[in-house]
Amino acid sequence: MKVITELKALREAIHHHKQSGCSIGFVPTMGFLHEGHLTLVKEARKQNDIVVMSIFVNPLQFGPNEDFERYPRDIERDSILAENAGVDILFIPVAEEMYPGTTSIKMNVTERVNVLCGKKREGHFDGVVTVLTKLFHLVQPDRAYFGLKDAQQIAVVEGLVQDYFFPVEIVRVPTVREEDGLAKSSRNVYLSEKERSEAPVLYESLEKVKNKIESGETSGDSIISEVTDFIHSRTSGQVEYVEVYSFPELTPIDDLKGEIIIALAVQYQKARLIDNMIISLNEEENQHV
Ligand code: PAF
């Protein structure tokens, strides 16, 4: 595995691989790698000749109350994990090169952001699309890999790629789960024993309504009530939101049809958990496909 920190060296390496006709799979990260990231690498490894991972804690996507300085970093451990997972190029740029000074253009995401977790993270996705625009130009990937755990990020990135004609395929990688269905997250360690035993109810609630939708339920409101009540009656966690939208547009829908997302957030004492389910419905028959 080659570790590259300078933009010029990355451009040269990418040029070399492009000239040789290699396909490039890209896994952008902010480091402190976990199983979710390694699953993205595994998928990228299967579909591409070269796998590039970036590690860059992007200051632009942190709000004033989100602690950029305290974001966990461990480059040594990350390098070992990345290499073992099969990364060919690990790109670790420095902020001075990524953001060399004042810019003449600012990116502002206007759709898909004022819902779900984005409601409380003003400007977050502006920072995400800004850094990804830079990274996509530098890495020139054929495919870029994102986890469905953060479905809103995927929706926004798909919007970016579509609106600005980036020649990259966005690959949606399914959420990695514990055996009992709980979505894997570094935050799970903050759950008490009792909360951890209750937390699989989040995924159970999504599975339950998926069955209901497959059996013909078409009302988004009734799905929202059902998920909320199910979670409320089975855990001490406070339901922060349960929302249903078209996907990836993230617009409200009255009737459930096409591709939809049911997404939720539950606040426990020291951990806020999110989960979601994306369901593709045949428009005509309202059947799960
Ligand atoms: O998901 C993340 O880790 C970040 O938002 C990303 C995509 C690497 C952009 O900084």
Side-chain angles (χ1 to χ4, degrees):
M1 183 180 78
K2 209 170 174 174
V3 179
I4 297 181
T5 55
E6 288 175 7
L7 267 50
K8 185 168 173 286
L10 180 76
R11 282 191 196 279
E12 282 165 9
I14 296 293
H15 179 73
H16 164 76
H17 290 301
K18 288 265 167 192
Q19 290 283 86
S20 320
C22 293
S23 59
I24 296 179
F26 180 40
V27 180
T29 80
M30 298 210 298
F32 215 67
L33 303 180
H34 52 67
E35 213 175 319
H37 297 115
L38 304 179
T39 307
L40 302 182
V41 174
K42 206 163 138 193
E43 285 306 303
R45 191 67 281 165
K46 279 191 224 156
Q47 299 174 339
N48 303 276
D49 300 317
I50 297 293
V51 176
V52 178
M53 174 188 274
S54 63
I55 295 182
F56 180 62
V57 185
N58 174 31
L60 227 60
Q61 68 188 75
F62 286 78
N65 302 323
E66 296 171 358
D67 208 343
F68 164 70
E69 298 298 339
R70 277 180 39 204
Y71 193 84
R73 294 159 169 91
D74 191 342
I75 287 294
E76 254 175 56
R77 178 178 161 275
D78 285 352
S79 305
I80 296 167
L81 289 173
E83 181 156 28
N84 290 345
V87 170
D88 298 299
I89 297 178
L90 181 61
F91 177 47
I92 315 175
V94 292
E96 289 71 23
E97 269 213 294
M98 290 297 279
Y99 297 116
T102 51
T103 50
S104 50
I105 296 172
K106 281 200 164 62
M107 301 184 80
N108 177 218
V109 189
T110 52
E111 302 289 327
R112 310 180 180 193
V113 286
N114 297 318
V115 294
L116 308 176
C117 298
K119 273 187 293 208
K120 286 194 171 169
R121 303 192 75 186
E122 208 192 320
H124 166 73
F125 288 111
D126 297 346
V128 171
V129 297
T130 304
V131 78
L132 286 177
T133 296
K134 290 177 184 243
L135 290 168
F136 285 167
H137 284 312
L138 291 165
V139 177
Q140 299 174 50
D142 295 276
R143 298 176 194 85
Y145 294 78
F146 293 86
L148 272 168
K149 172 100 191 301
D150 193 348
Q152 188 168 18
Q153 174 162 272
I154 292 194
V156 170
V157 176
E158 289 186 0
L160 171 74
V161 164
Q162 188 182 330
D163 288 1
Y164 289 92
F165 311 124
F166 280 90
V168 54
E169 179 193 341
I170 301 303
V171 182
R172 302 173 182 178
V173 180
T175 302
V176 186
R177 297 185 180 280
E178 303 288 354
E179 269 187 18
D180 58 13
L182 177 65
K184 288 206 181 194
S185 161
S186 29
R187 294 199 177 90
N188 293 350
V189 294
Y190 300 126
L191 296 169
S192 69
E193 209 174 307
K194 179 170 175 289
E195 289 173 338
R196 174 62 189 84
S197 70
E198 293 169 1
V201 76
L202 274 60
Y203 185 58
E204 274 169 46
S205 72
L206 294 170
E207 287 269 275
K208 187 161 185 276
V209 291
K210 178 177 163 214
N211 290 335
K212 209 152 180 200
I213 293 168
E214 283 172 351
S215 315
E217 176 62 74
T218 57
S219 155
D221 285 347
S222 107
I223 292 300
I224 291 171
S225 307
E226 175 133 6
V227 171
T228 310
D229 294 348
F230 190 84
I231 297 175
H232 186 69
S233 62
R234 286 169 176 78
T235 174
S236 57
Q238 295 302 308
V239 179
E240 189 184 296
Y241 67 72
V242 177
E243 294 174 27
V244 176
Y245 296 110
S246 64
F247 194 82
E249 300 80 7
L250 300 187
T251 48
I253 34 171
D254 294 330
D255 283 342
L256 304 181
K257 54 180 190 247
E259 194 168 27
I260 63 158
I261 181 167
I262 307 160
L264 55 86
V266 175
Q267 181 69 54
Y268 285 94
Q269 295 244 302
K270 292 189 186 147
R272 181 177 171 277
L273 305 187
I274 57 168
D275 206 345
N276 69 71
M277 184 170 280
I278 293 170
I279 303 175
S280 291
L281 298 161
N282 179 321
E283 308 242 350
E284 243 106 84
E285 297 160 34
N286 195 17
Q287 289 290 308
H288 181 235
V289 289

